[in-house]
Amino acid sequence: MKGLYCRASASDAEPEFVIQDTLPEALGSHQVRVQVKACGLSPLDLKLLGDMGMLRDLIPVGREIAGVVLQVGDKVSFFQTDDEVIGILPLDSPCSGLCDTIDIDEHLLVQKPEKLSSVCVAGGLRDGLCAYTALHTHAHMAAGHTLLVMDGASSFGLMCVQLASYHGVKVLTTSHTPQTHTFLEQLRPSVGVQDPLVAKVIPVYKDSSDLLSVVLEETGGLGVDIIIDSGVRLQEESSEGMKLLPHKHDIISVLGVGGHWVTSHKDLQLDPPDCRLLHLKSASVTFLNSEVWTMSSAQQGRYLHILKDIVEKMSTGVLRPQPEEAVPLYEATVAMETVQRQQKKKGCCPTLTKKKKTPDIYRQSGEHKMSMFLLIDRLKRPENFSACITWSSDRHHHQPAAFMG
């Protein structure tokens, strides 16, 4: 079987992605053999793999998969052949998700609803898991809370906005461009009352210093209960990209008493005055690392419950991932290199512009004014770049095609 693998170098040079042949192994008693229909691509965290002692010559690429069960082990009890399933391969998996078939433990999979697209779930599963972990596991979200999501138009931020709004949370968010500002203001749920999902959109591309005053005005001076960031400025940065990120002191300042700050910043450093302010507010800081679910089996049942809830909400339209667009599978190596660099591949723009109608996923909610240049703009931003590879079959052969979104 052919799969996509990363050959990490010992130096600081960029990793190399290669198509490699692998030999199939015997099916384990608790494993299922899955024919992959779609696979999401996400940047590899080589530092995390090194910390966990999982670095090797060839690192499998592509871990969010959706497919059909072809064969089950003799002790498998949850699935049978022809079941449609989704799951995330563990960090130590020897298989690439881009292989035609993979063997995976049954306790890492859940059933996929029939009407849910394989491409949709593979492309949005990781963002949904991160949003669920941040809001439910870390922040203990409840109806009546106030949430501030940094960059709500990102793929992760959009999932947070939708999930929080569904549970009765008042959502504030920031926008990085005029186009995303309009998009966030027009967000409506696909089910239920068609009220805006976002109570207030704060345009930080104009002046990031307005964040504190606007949030305090919206909350009556009390601050927000939950903050989810997409990056933090530790110092006064001069680069344009960093200026859009909030300063750590601003985040702590808008946090209410007993609030929760969920951060994705791996190297966050807090000075004594910052810690003192957090102490006075009895607030907490938690680090978001979605990989813990597959790195440890301590809460395996809870993890499977989360995956099942995510796919159910996707199938009913509560969670709507950003649209996916197709590129040929033979460009998977180039696509993964772009994902790893977190930059937009120029060759994708013609593919996006060929689709002239608004994606169904957004047209259903009345957002017919969202133009294609907004989708391209989203993909140009580093934190929003991901890819999804999917397979389609015809009468003569098994023909792969790729999706990027």
Side-chain angles (χ1 to χ4, degrees):
M1 298 183 298
K2 289 186 177 182
L4 184 62
Y5 294 83
C6 170
R7 183 177 288 123
S9 59
S11 62
D12 293 334
E14 290 187 359
E16 178 187 4
F17 295 94
V18 295
I19 300 293
Q20 188 79 15
D21 283 316
T22 57
L23 297 176
E25 300 180 357
L27 189 66
S29 57
H30 287 283
Q31 289 185 321
V32 296
R33 183 157 292 163
V34 177
Q35 181 182 26
V36 179
K37 295 296 184 182
C39 174
L41 298 181
S42 301
L44 291 176
D45 191 340
L46 299 178
K47 189 176 186 305
L48 174 63
L49 292 173
D51 292 340
M52 299 297 298
M54 296 179 181
L55 276 179
R56 44 194 159 178
D57 294 336
L58 291 175
I59 304 171
V61 173
R63 294 174 48 216
E64 304 88 43
I65 59 103
V68 179
V69 176
L70 295 179
Q71 185 181 350
V72 298
D74 53 10
K75 294 184 179 180
V76 171
S77 57
F78 293 152
F79 303 102
Q80 55 188 3
T81 55
D82 296 330
D83 282 347
E84 292 188 275
V85 295
I86 63 99
I88 299 178
L89 299 178
L91 279 174
D92 59 353
S93 171
C95 300
S96 165
L98 296 182
C99 293
D100 182 34
T101 60
I102 60 170
D103 297 342
I104 182 173
D105 193 284
E106 65 168 330
H107 299 103
L108 296 173
L109 297 171
V110 296
Q111 295 273 3
K112 182 183 78 68
E114 184 178 352
K115 63 180 181 180
L116 182 61
S117 163
S118 295
V119 176
C120 175
V121 70
L125 186 60
R126 179 171 293 275
D127 290 322
L129 178 62
C130 288
Y132 207 108
T133 305
L135 291 171
H136 285 289
T137 308
H138 292 325
H140 307 291
M141 171 184 64
H145 280 172
T146 304
L147 166 69
L148 173 60
V149 179
M150 300 299 178
D151 191 13
S154 66
S155 55
F156 166 59
L158 186 60
M159 284 292 197
C160 289
V161 168
Q162 295 175 101
L163 185 60
S165 180
Y166 174 77
H167 286 280
V169 174
K170 179 181 179 180
V171 180
L172 313 177
T173 187
T174 61
S175 59
H176 289 184
T177 64
Q179 292 80 16
T180 56
H181 186 90
T182 302
F183 166 72
L184 290 168
E185 286 186 328
Q186 294 178 349
L187 267 181
R188 298 291 187 276
S190 61
V191 293
V193 181
Q194 296 296 298
D195 290 333
L197 293 180
V198 180
K200 181 69 175 180
V201 183
I202 307 168
V204 295
Y205 59 89
K206 294 181 178 178
D207 189 355
S208 59
S209 62
D210 291 340
L211 179 65
L212 178 59
S213 60
V214 173
V215 171
L216 292 181
E217 180 182 353
E218 284 291 322
T219 59
L222 298 177
V224 296
D225 301 293
I226 306 168
I227 296 177
I228 298 178
D229 68 44
S230 58
V232 181
R233 271 190 299 136
L234 302 182
Q235 299 174 348
E236 294 299 330
E237 303 285 350
S238 58
S239 64
E240 289 299 323
M242 294 299 294
K243 284 182 179 180
L244 295 175
L245 299 178
H247 193 275
K248 58 181 179 179
H249 183 73
D250 293 336
I251 290 182
I252 298 173
S253 298
V254 301
L255 198 60
V257 173
H260 301 277
W261 173 15
V262 183
T263 180
S264 301
H265 200 294
K266 303 173 185 177
D267 303 313
L268 180 66
Q269 297 178 356
L270 297 179
D271 300 322
D274 299 325
C275 295
R276 178 63 179 170
L277 186 53
L278 285 170
H279 169 74
L280 291 174
K281 295 185 175 188
S282 189
S284 64
V285 180
T286 53
F287 291 86
L288 178 60
N289 177 16
S290 62
E291 298 293 355
V292 295
W293 295 111
T294 56
M295 288 162 56
S296 171
S297 59
Q299 301 188 51
Q300 190 70 20
R302 189 176 187 180
Y303 168 61
L304 293 178
H305 170 77
I306 291 173
L307 290 186
K308 188 175 297 185
D309 196 49
I310 290 171
V311 296
E312 286 177 357
K313 283 182 169 58
M314 284 187 182
S315 65
T316 57
V318 173
L319 295 179
R320 294 164 293 155
Q322 290 182 351
E324 308 291 338
E325 292 294 336
V327 296
L329 180 62
Y330 59 78
E331 293 185 6
T333 303
V334 178
M336 188 59 205
E337 289 173 354
T338 310
V339 169
Q340 191 67 23
R341 288 195 305 266
Q342 297 186 339
Q343 296 176 357
K344 172 69 181 70
K345 184 161 78 85
K346 294 182 180 179
C348 294
C349 292
T351 306
L352 288 171
T353 55
K354 287 180 182 177
K355 187 172 183 180
K356 301 196 179 205
K357 61 180 181 178
T358 305
D360 291 339
I361 196 169
Y362 289 103
R363 195 185 320 109
Q364 290 173 357
S365 61
E367 291 144 24
H368 57 281
K369 295 181 180 179
M370 186 181 70
S371 57
M372 193 54 63
F373 73 85
L374 173 55
L375 297 179
I376 298 174
D377 178 76
R378 279 206 204 123
L379 290 174
K380 286 181 180 177
R381 291 157 49 198
E383 67 274 17
N384 295 340
F385 191 86
S386 61
C388 186
I389 309 296
T390 184
W391 283 257
S392 59
S393 301
D394 59 27
R395 295 171 54 189
H396 304 291
H397 62 286
H398 194 60
Q399 176 64 42
F403 281 75
M404 305 180 66

